[in-house]
Amino acid sequence: MSSVLKPNALELLNKEIDESGVKNKFIANKLGISEQYVSLILLGKRKLTADKVIAISKALGIDYRIFLN
């Protein structure tokens, strides 16, 4: 089964976050999860799902479709 997310979605997401200057704490507050969990996702230690990409994209004010196949 193919993934909804691009193979490099995590890399793209990290790039967008770096360029925006937004901190993990801001993303965590917007998503209602811990800052540590956000860090684990962005480090690739927790699965990046389409739901999380959409939520993080909304927090950043960017189009989530850039991460989708």
Side-chain angles (χ1 to χ4, degrees):
M1 178 164 67
S2 64
S3 174
V4 174
L5 298 176
K6 290 181 179 178
N8 65 337
L10 182 59
E11 181 183 333
L12 292 171
L13 181 59
N14 276 304
K15 182 178 178 241
E16 290 291 333
I17 291 169
D18 287 345
E19 289 177 359
S20 73
V22 169
K23 303 293 182 202
N24 289 357
K25 185 174 186 173
F26 174 83
I27 295 169
N29 287 337
K30 287 286 192 177
L31 274 59
I33 59 177
S34 72
E35 188 177 347
Q36 291 81 9
Y37 194 73
V38 171
S39 294
L40 291 173
I41 293 168
L42 298 177
L43 290 171
K45 296 184 182 213
R46 292 290 180 267
K47 185 175 172 116
L48 179 63
T49 64
D51 289 343
K52 287 185 182 82
V53 164
I54 292 168
I56 294 170
S57 296
K58 285 181 182 178
L60 297 174
I62 59 173
D63 187 352
Y64 67 89
R65 293 176 288 190
I66 63 173
F67 305 107
L68 305 180
N69 275 325

